[in-house]
C-alpha cells in the first residue's frame, strides 16, 4: 500500500470514528457495515438492530447473504457463522430441508422395515431351534422307552453265538466247537435260540441238549442227552420260552415238542411222526404268542400248526407250493405284538405274514443277494417296534425290515471275525 492509499484509509477511519462518536451512524456487528443511526436493518446483510438497553435474543435468526458469481452469474449461498452455544451451524433452503427430511424419513422407514424383518427372522430361527430341540428330546425319550434291546444270532458254522445292537453293531460273542459247557456242535442243521424273562439265553445245541447262559454268555446250566425218552433229544432244533419262563423245544428227529420248567425239568410232550393234526415231520422252529399258544413250523409237512400251552391242537394252515399261504420248508417263525405270524419260507426265499388264525396278509422277498432278497432265510425275530429281523442264512447276513417288508438295513458277511457269519440260523431279540 502506497502513501496516498494509506492516508486515504486513515482519513476514512477517522471519519468513521467521528460519526460513531457523534452517534450519527452505527456499525453492523455481523458484517461491520456502517448504517444510518435510525436504520432498523443492516443495508448489507439484513441484520436487525435493537435499541440500546433492550435484551438481544439468545439465538438470533440465521441470515444468508446472496452474492453474485462474477463468471457464471449463479447465486451462491454464503454461510453466516454464528456462535450458538459454541457450535458452528450450516443452513439450507426450505426445499433442501424438506428434501432432507423426506430422505431421512425414507431411510428411517427402511431401517425400521429391515429391523422388523431381522427380528422376525430371529423369532423364526428361535422357534425352529425350539422345535428341533423338542424333536430330538422326543426321539431320545422314544428311543429310551422303545429300544428293542439286543439281537442274538446263532452263528452255526462258527459254532458260536454273537450279540449285536438292534442296528447291527457287534457287542460280544461266545462259544466254540466241542461238547463241553459253552461249546456247540452245529453240523449242517439249524440251532434255535430263545430269551427268558431275566434275559438269560437258551440255545438248542446239536449235542442233544439245551444250554442256558447269562446275557453276557456265562454258562448257567444244561439238560438233555441223546435218546427218545422224556427230556432226551435227537437233534433239538427250535426253542421258545413263554411268559412263565417255561421252555419249549422242537425235538427234530423225534418229531415232537417237549416242555420244560426254567430249570430244565420235564413237564409234558406231544406229537409223533405223521401228517395228521398234532403230528409232525421234522418240526423246526417254535413261537409263543401273548396268550401262551404255541406255533410250530412243521417243515416237511409244509405247514404251520397251532396248539394250546398244554399241546392241544387248535388249527393249521399251509401246504406245499409257492402261492400265497403255501410253503417250501417253512423254517423260522415269529409273532408280533398284534399276534400276526411271520414265517421264513426257506426254499421259496421269502417271508410270509399271516393273521393269528392263519389268513394270508402279505409277503416279500425273492432269491438273490440284493437288499430284500434271500438265499434260504431261516431265522426270524421281531422287536418291540414291529421291525422284522431275518437270518439270511446262505447270504451270511442279517436283514432288517419294517412290518410291511420295507428294507431298513443289513449287516454281516461270510467269515469268522466279529460280526461275520458262517450260515447264521437262529435269531432272537432281548430287551435286557
Amino acid at each position: 500500500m502506497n502513501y496516498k492509499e494509506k492516508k486515504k484509509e486513515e482519513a476514512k477511519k477517522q471519519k468513521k470514528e467521528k460519526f460513531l462518536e457523534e452517534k450519527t451512524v452505527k456499525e453492523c456487528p455481523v458484517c461491520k457495515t456502517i448504517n444510518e443511526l435510525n436504520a432498523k436493518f443492516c443495508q448489507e446483510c439484513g441484520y436487525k438492530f435493537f435499541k440500546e438497553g433492550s435484551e438481544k435474543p439468545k439465538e438470533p435468526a440465521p441470515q444468508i447473504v446472496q452474492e453474485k458469481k462474477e463468471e457464471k452469474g449463479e447465486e451462491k449461498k454464503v454461510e453466516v457463522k454464528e456462535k450458538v452455544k459454541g457450535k458452528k451451524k450450516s443452513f439450507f433452503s426450505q426445499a433442501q430441508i424438506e428434501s432432507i427430511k423426506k430422505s431421512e424419513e425414507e431411510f428411517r422407514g427402511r431401517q425400521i422395515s429391515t429391523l422388523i424383518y431381522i427380528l422376525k427372522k430371529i423369532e423364526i430361527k428361535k422357534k425352529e431351534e425350539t422345535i428341533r430341540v423338542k424333536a430330538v428330546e422326543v426321539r431320545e425319550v422314544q428311543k429310551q422307552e422303545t429300544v428293542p434291546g439286543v439281537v442274538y444270532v446263532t452263528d452255526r458254522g462258527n459254532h458260536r453265538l454273537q450279540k449285536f445292537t438292534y442296528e447291527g453293531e457287534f457287542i460280544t460273542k461266545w462259544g466254540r466247537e466241542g461238547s463241553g459247557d459253552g461249546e456247540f456242535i452245529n453240523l449242517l442243521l439249524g440251532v434255535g435260540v430263545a430269551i427268558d424273562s431275566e434275559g438269560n439265553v437258551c440255545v438248542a445245541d446239536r449235542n442233544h441238549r439245551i444250554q442256558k447262559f447269562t446275557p453276557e454268555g456265562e454258562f448257567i446250566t444244561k439238560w438233555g442227552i441223546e435218546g427218545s425218552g422224556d427230556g432226551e433229544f435227537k437233534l433239538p432244533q427250535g426253542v421258545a420260552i413263554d411268559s412263565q419262563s417255561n421252555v419249549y423245544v422242537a425235538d427234530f428227529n423225534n418229531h415232537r415238542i417237549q416242555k420244560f420248567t426254567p430249570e430244565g425239568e420235564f413237564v409234558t410232550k406231544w406229537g409223533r411222526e405223521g401228517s395228521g393234526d398234532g403230528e409232525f415231520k421234522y418240526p423246526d422252529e417254535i413261537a409263543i404268542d401273548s396268550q401262551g399258544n404255541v406255533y410250530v413250523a412243521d417243515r416237511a409237512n409244509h405247514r404251520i400248526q397251532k396248539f394250546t400251552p398244554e399241546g392241544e391242537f387248535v388249527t393249521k394252515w399251509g401246504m406245499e407250493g409257492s402261492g400265497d399261504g403255501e410253503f417250501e420248508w417253512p423254517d423260522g417263525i415269529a409273532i408280533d405284538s398284534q399276534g400276526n405270524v411271520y414265517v421264513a419260507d426257506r426254499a421259496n426265499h421269502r417271508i410270509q405274514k399271516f393273521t393269528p388264525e392263519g389268513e394270508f396278509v402279505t409277503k416279500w422277498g425273492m432269491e438273490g443277494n440284493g437288499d430284500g432278497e434271500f438265499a434260504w432265510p431261516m431265522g426270524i425275530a421281531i422287536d418291540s417296534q414291529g421291525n422284522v429281523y431275518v437270518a439270511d442264512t446262505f447270504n451270511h447276513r442279517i436283514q432288517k425290515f419294517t412290518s410291511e417288508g420295507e428294507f431298513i438295513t443289513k449287516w454281516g458277511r461270510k467269515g469268522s471275525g466279529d460280526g461275520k457269519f458262517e450260515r447264521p440260523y437262529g435269531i432272537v431279540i432281548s430287551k435286557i
Side-chain angles (χ1 to χ4, degrees), residues 51 58 79 99 106 127 134 139 199 222 239 358 396:
K51 293 181 179 179
K58 293 181 180 179
E79 292 183 355
S99 178
E106 290 176 355
K127 286 181 179 179
K134 286 183 178 179
R139 283 197 297 271
K222 64 184 177 183
V239 59
H396 311 284

Side-chain angles (χ1 to χ4, degrees), residues 210 223 228-242 246-260 266-273 277-288 292-299 303-313 331 333:
I210 301 299
W223 68 88
S228 57
D230 295 344
E232 298 177 345
F233 304 105
K234 283 188 178 179
L235 298 177
Q237 185 82 350
V239 59
I241 300 175
D242 66 17
N246 295 307
V247 182
Y248 296 77
V249 181
D251 191 3
F252 191 74
N253 275 4
N254 280 324
H255 310 284
R256 66 184 179 179
I257 305 300
Q258 294 196 67
K259 180 179 178 180
F260 301 88
F266 176 80
V267 177
T268 189
K269 64 184 177 183
W270 70 88
R272 62 180 182 177
E273 186 175 5
D277 294 346
E279 297 178 340
F280 304 103
K281 281 187 179 179
Y282 305 107
D284 205 320
E285 284 293 319
I286 309 176
I288 300 173
N293 296 307
V294 182
Y295 296 76
V296 181
D298 188 6
R299 183 195 289 184
R303 66 185 179 180
I304 303 298
Q305 293 197 69
K306 181 179 178 180
F307 302 89
T308 66
E310 291 72 34
E312 295 178 8
F313 176 80
D331 211 320
I333 185 169

Side-chain angles (χ1 to χ4, degrees), residues 295-362:
Y295 296 76
V296 181
D298 188 6
R299 183 195 289 184
N301 280 323
H302 310 285
R303 66 185 179 180
I304 303 298
Q305 293 197 69
K306 181 179 178 180
F307 302 89
T308 66
E310 291 72 34
E312 295 178 8
F313 176 80
V314 177
T315 190
K316 64 184 177 183
W317 69 89
M319 58 184 290
E320 187 175 7
S322 58
D324 295 344
E326 297 177 344
F327 303 104
E328 282 288 343
W329 289 17
D331 211 320
I333 185 169
I335 300 170
D336 66 16
S337 59
Q338 305 301 313
N340 296 307
V341 182
Y342 296 76
V343 180
D345 188 5
R346 179 198 292 199
N348 280 323
H349 311 284
R350 66 184 179 180
I351 303 300
Q352 293 197 69
K353 179 179 177 180
F354 302 90
T355 66
E357 293 73 35
E359 295 178 6
F360 175 80
V361 177
T362 189

Side-chain angles (χ1 to χ4, degrees), residues 40 48 63 73 95 130 133 182 204 213 216 225 237 271 323 337 341 349:
K40 293 182 179 181
K48 183 177 180 180
Q63 305 295 326
T130 302
V133 170
F213 303 88
E216 292 73 34
I225 60 172
Q237 185 82 350
S337 59
V341 182
H349 311 284

Side-chain angles (χ1 to χ4, degrees), residues 169-202:
E169 295 177 8
F170 175 81
I171 298 174
T172 189
K173 64 185 177 184
W174 69 87
R176 62 180 182 178
E177 187 174 9
S179 57
D181 295 344
E183 297 177 342
F184 307 102
I185 293 178
N186 297 329
L187 303 178
L188 295 176
L189 298 175
V191 179
V193 60
I195 304 294
D196 68 16
S197 58
E198 296 179 354
N200 297 314
V201 184
C202 287

